[in-house]
Amino acid sequence: METHFSTTPFGRRRMTLGMISSQVTARAVSKDVTVHKWHVFQDIKDARVALGATDRALAILDALLSFHPDTALYADGELIVWPSNEQLIRRANGMPPTTLRRHLAVLVECGLIIRRDSPNGKRFARKGQGGEIEQAYGFDLSPIVARVEEFKDLAEAVRSEKKALRLVKERLTICRRDIVKMIDAGIEEGVPANWGRVQQAYQAIVGQIPRTAPRQTFEAIAEELEGLWAEVREALESFVKTQKMDANESRNGRHIQNSKPDSKFESESGPGNKDEAGGNVADTDNVRSLPKRELPLGIVLDACPNTLWLVKGGGGIRNWRDFLAAAEVARPAMGISPSAWEEARTEMGEQQAAITIAAIYQRQDQINSAGGYLRSLTDRAKAGKFSVWPMVMALLRAKLDASKTTGTGAEAAAVELETAGKIVRTESRLEISDALRRSLDKPGRRS
């Protein structure tokens, strides 16, 4: 007997459309259907969220299934179990009675079981003279048999979604690892690109990755990250191809041109590049005629005042040790790799290399790749064609020109330039080459 409303010790229960739908589905099932109760229960667990069931409700369903003596459930068999609340509580790991009632209602609402209530609301079975069950009142498990295909399809969909989510997370992990390795390789090998911007773009994308989110969210982030991966890969491959095509050009610090106009990387070759670090080394034909004495720290700081920004705590630069420490801070900030820095120190000397770093930092807004430019200067130093003197003198000249334009500090800048010039003339006892003089006296020269 099916009742739409019944009175129980816990009050009056309400029949919903969902319950009626479950009863209709159970009546329509073919009599030939047989299911393995634990297999279908696994599908129900996997599809729990889609069905609207709770973990506690499934623990109760597990207990209800255990009260059925057979593993196989037959559509034409007896599928009603009638355990008491006390028995259910024991098999549901000591669940409180109020919680039990609440989650039994969830199972009914989800259409996983049907209540078969007796007139007094008790659960029991009435047997005939031969011991056969004539009438049972309790929980009907027939929806599990009737909806077995639905549960299977829902579980497959959930498993497929979980697999797709796992795969996209693996894509993210691999892509992140590859990008970090390629950035490190690019910096280490002096590949000309704005690696600082690449790292910022990478961090911006990675910062969007949430702890939990729908698969579509991870897919969108993975596509964005793979786009950056392609940009970095193209820059490295183009550099390798350029080196193979013209090894001499690569050694002289000529840089690859990215084929994409909207690339994240900046070209460093071709017309229109700005003068770098305040001096054109190619114009310095007589570097060996420059003084052998080291540049005074004061003149270097006058030419490269931006270096003072790098001092922690604003304590200033009092000696060459402080200056070298500031250069160590400037190097990674400009994306110069440790190998390029070590090579520069080996070829130029630690102090000269630090001055070169300071000069590049002073004009970093005019240099597309600080690491590539430093390697170019290092190559020239190996050939004896580079000195920090023209770089510093050019920076002082630029400072004087800027002071004249603004009308401030012109006299001080002129004194600094004259002091540096005196060192060149008096201490070396040599004449400045014509090329260097042209570099220093060139009016309005951009530094």
Side-chain angles (χ1 to χ4, degrees), residues 7-13 120-122:
T7 303
T8 71
F10 308 124
R12 194 172 184 83
R13 284 190 287 267
N120 63 1
K122 299 294 185 180

Side-chain angles (χ1 to χ4, degrees), residues 28 62 69 117 151 225 239 257 316 404 410 415:
D62 188 7
D117 291 328
F151 297 148
L225 202 59
F239 181 71
Q257 178 77 25
K404 290 178 179 179
V415 171

Side-chain angles (χ1 to χ4, degrees), residues 387-424:
S387 169
V388 295
W389 278 85
M391 296 180 71
V392 174
M393 297 289 280
L395 287 171
L396 289 174
R397 167 64 67 183
K399 185 176 181 181
L400 176 60
D401 292 342
S403 300
K404 290 178 179 179
T405 302
T406 59
T408 58
E411 183 177 350
V415 171
E416 294 163 2
L417 183 61
E418 179 62 24
T419 301
K422 285 181 179 179
I423 293 175
V424 173

Side-chain angles (χ1 to χ4, degrees), residues 21 71 126 133 139 160 178 212 244 325 346 365 375 388 430:
S21 176
T71 299
R126 185 180 290 117
I133 296 175
F139 300 106
S160 297
D178 288 351
T212 57
K244 290 181 178 179
T346 301
D365 58 329
R375 286 188 183 274
V388 295
L430 291 172

Side-chain angles (χ1 to χ4, degrees), residues 10-275:
F10 308 124
R12 194 172 184 83
R13 284 190 287 267
R14 181 172 59 87
M15 178 63 71
T16 66
L17 291 177
M19 300 177 193
I20 296 174
S21 176
S22 299
Q23 294 174 2
V24 171
T25 302
R27 285 199 300 267
V29 67
S30 171
K31 302 302 181 183
D32 298 330
V33 176
T34 302
V35 301
H36 191 297
K37 66 180 181 181
W38 300 122
H39 291 174
V40 69
F41 179 66
Q42 183 61 51
D43 289 340
I44 292 172
K45 287 199 300 183
D46 290 343
R48 172 181 61 82
V49 176
L51 292 169
T54 61
D55 291 335
R56 290 290 188 91
L58 293 185
I60 296 172
L61 181 60
D62 188 7
L64 288 174
L65 288 171
S66 70
F67 282 105
H68 194 280
D70 300 326
T71 299
L73 302 180
Y74 302 93
D76 58 351
E78 181 57 56
L79 298 177
I80 297 177
V81 293
W82 54 92
S84 66
N85 280 357
E86 289 74 16
Q87 290 174 314
L88 271 176
I89 287 172
R90 281 198 297 271
R91 293 203 184 182
N93 302 319
M95 188 178 295
T98 54
T99 304
L100 176 69
R101 292 194 293 271
R102 185 169 69 253
H103 290 287
L104 278 170
V106 171
L107 290 176
V108 175
E109 289 286 347
C110 293
L112 295 173
I113 61 174
I114 300 173
R115 291 183 185 273
R116 304 294 186 185
D117 291 328
S118 67
N120 63 1
K122 299 294 185 180
R123 302 174 202 133
F124 62 90
R126 185 180 290 117
K127 298 182 180 181
Q129 291 181 352
E132 300 86 358
I133 296 175
E134 293 182 345
Q135 185 69 52
Y137 299 100
F139 300 106
D140 190 349
L141 304 176
S142 58
I144 292 178
V145 179
R147 301 175 64 188
V148 60
E149 292 300 325
E150 177 189 350
F151 297 148
K152 183 177 180 180
D153 291 342
L154 285 174
E156 284 297 328
V158 171
R159 291 173 192 138
S160 297
E161 184 65 19
K162 285 184 177 179
K163 181 179 179 181
L165 181 61
R166 185 181 71 254
L167 290 176
V168 72
K169 287 185 176 181
E170 289 177 358
R171 279 171 55 198
L172 278 172
T173 300
I174 294 172
C175 195
R176 291 176 63 178
R177 181 186 63 200
D178 288 351
I179 289 176
V180 170
K181 287 183 178 180
M182 287 192 295
I183 290 175
D184 289 343
I187 295 175
E188 184 72 19
E189 298 298 329
V191 177
N194 194 330
W195 296 112
R197 289 189 185 178
V198 177
Q199 289 172 325
Q200 289 177 359
Y202 169 76
Q203 293 297 335
I205 297 173
V206 172
Q208 301 175 33
I209 301 177
R211 283 183 173 271
T212 57
R215 173 181 55 83
Q216 292 76 8
T217 301
F218 289 103
E219 289 279 1
I221 297 174
E223 289 179 4
E224 191 175 357
L225 202 59
E226 285 168 351
L228 180 62
W229 180 94
E231 292 281 355
V232 178
R233 183 76 178 183
E234 181 180 354
L236 296 180
E237 289 179 351
S238 298
F239 181 71
V240 171
K241 290 177 182 178
T242 303
Q243 281 189 318
K244 290 181 178 179
M245 291 171 56
D246 194 342
N248 290 332
E249 190 174 70
S250 174
R251 283 195 300 271
N252 289 333
R254 298 284 298 277
H255 306 302
I256 62 173
Q257 178 77 25
N258 197 318
S259 61
K260 292 190 176 182
D262 57 348
S263 170
K264 296 180 178 64
F265 309 110
E266 297 179 2
S267 170
E268 292 183 42
S269 63
N273 272 4
K274 298 179 181 179
D275 296 333

